[in-house]
Amino acid sequence: MSHGSDDSENYWPGYVDALTSMVQVLAFVMMMLAMAVFVLSQSVAKHAVEAIAKVINAEVDPKADVKTMTQAVMDQVQKLQSAAAGGEAHKAEPSPATKAAATAESEKISGMRVAGGRSTSDNTRIQVDPAAPRLTVNFEERSFRVQPDGAASITNLVDERKIAERGQLVIINAYAYSGDGALSEARRLAYYRAMMARKQLVDAKVRPDSIRVNVTDTSDKQKGMTIDMVVADKSAS
């Protein structure tokens, strides 16, 4: 007498094949997503460096990689700082027009202070009145572009406080969220945001030498998506 269990079908091999195929498909999809995120991050970083290079008139090759472009920007920053400090005294004295132009460019950089984990004399924060006018500008996550409403708020602040006419000092405090572990990337993003906000102020006729930039670490994720603008007296610098 035969038993029914001997004639029943075995579904286990088909189940294993289906599960294996699904795991392979998921692994492929995850690999493609990782590649897409990497390519996108490189593209965003490159556009940010190009924007900063345009602000400080740095010569960069659009076809170069992000590391090369960043080095070109840093070289331009050092060159402008050296010109402001008179580090090229061995050269012939430039004409008044040339000297004024070089000073104007160097002042764009001289006020940029990056405050990291350590406190040094180079990144000492400017003391301002707690009641000084302030403006908080919000950014989208991982974005350094100033939104239209943020740009309008900056323009309104300049107009209402007559910053350009009075020559008041504007301090831009950018915040780098350090909670996800990528601190260097967070500081770079915060710096890009500060630079784009600075560009908005310059477009609104605020003098470059009246702008200071600070980048500070924060463990508050919401604060890490903002920058603060503080209007201070010129004597605060």
Side-chain angles (χ1 to χ4, degrees):
M1 184 175 180
S2 61
H3 297 283
S5 59
D6 296 337
D7 300 330
S8 61
E9 296 184 9
N10 187 1
Y11 296 101
W12 181 249
Y15 173 77
V16 173
D17 290 343
L19 183 61
T20 302
S21 300
M22 183 178 66
V23 171
Q24 291 177 341
V25 171
L26 288 177
F28 176 76
V29 171
M30 293 298 294
M31 181 178 64
M32 295 302 296
L33 286 176
M35 292 178 62
V37 170
F38 175 77
V39 172
L40 182 61
S41 64
Q42 291 294 312
S43 177
V44 171
K46 186 172 183 179
H47 286 307
V49 174
E50 288 177 345
I52 295 176
K54 184 177 181 180
V55 171
I56 64 175
N57 295 328
E59 295 183 0
V60 296
D61 185 2
K63 297 181 180 180
D65 56 17
V66 176
K67 183 177 180 180
T68 303
M69 296 174 67
T70 302
Q71 185 61 45
V73 171
M74 296 305 298
D75 291 343
Q76 178 69 359
V77 170
Q78 293 178 357
K79 185 183 298 183
L80 294 175
Q81 288 177 334
S82 298
E88 299 180 351
H90 63 282
K91 294 185 178 180
E93 183 70 15
S95 63
T98 303
K99 187 174 181 180
T103 303
E105 290 296 330
S106 65
E107 286 173 343
K108 294 181 181 179
I109 306 302
S110 61
M112 299 176 189
R113 299 168 181 166
V114 180
R118 299 180 181 179
S119 177
T120 65
S121 59
D122 292 336
N123 57 34
T124 303
R125 302 294 296 275
I126 299 174
Q127 298 297 325
V128 297
D129 187 350
R134 298 171 182 266
L135 172 66
T136 299
V137 181
N138 296 302
F139 290 81
E140 295 183 355
E141 188 172 3
R142 299 188 181 281
S143 173
F144 60 88
R145 299 191 182 279
V146 180
Q147 300 300 313
D149 57 341
S153 298
I154 294 174
T155 302
N156 291 337
L157 177 68
V158 174
D159 294 340
E160 291 176 359
R161 297 292 174 178
K162 300 185 183 301
I163 297 175
E165 292 84 348
R166 298 173 180 174
Q168 292 177 295
L169 182 69
V170 181
I171 304 172
I172 303 176
N173 294 319
Y175 303 99
Y177 172 61
S178 57
D180 57 5
L183 184 56
S184 60
E185 183 68 23
R187 289 175 178 172
R188 183 169 62 175
L189 179 60
Y191 178 72
Y192 291 164
R193 288 171 174 171
M195 290 298 296
M196 297 306 291
R198 180 183 182 279
K199 183 177 184 300
Q200 292 289 331
L201 289 172
V202 174
D203 291 344
K205 309 304 182 184
V206 177
R207 287 176 53 86
D209 60 346
S210 297
I211 304 173
R212 299 291 184 272
V213 172
N214 294 306
V215 177
T216 308
D217 299 340
T218 179
S219 58
D220 187 341
K221 186 174 183 180
Q222 294 300 321
K223 193 176 187 65
M225 297 171 61
T226 65
I227 64 167
D228 289 333
M229 288 188 176
V230 183
V231 182
D233 293 332
K234 198 71 173 180
S235 57
S237 59

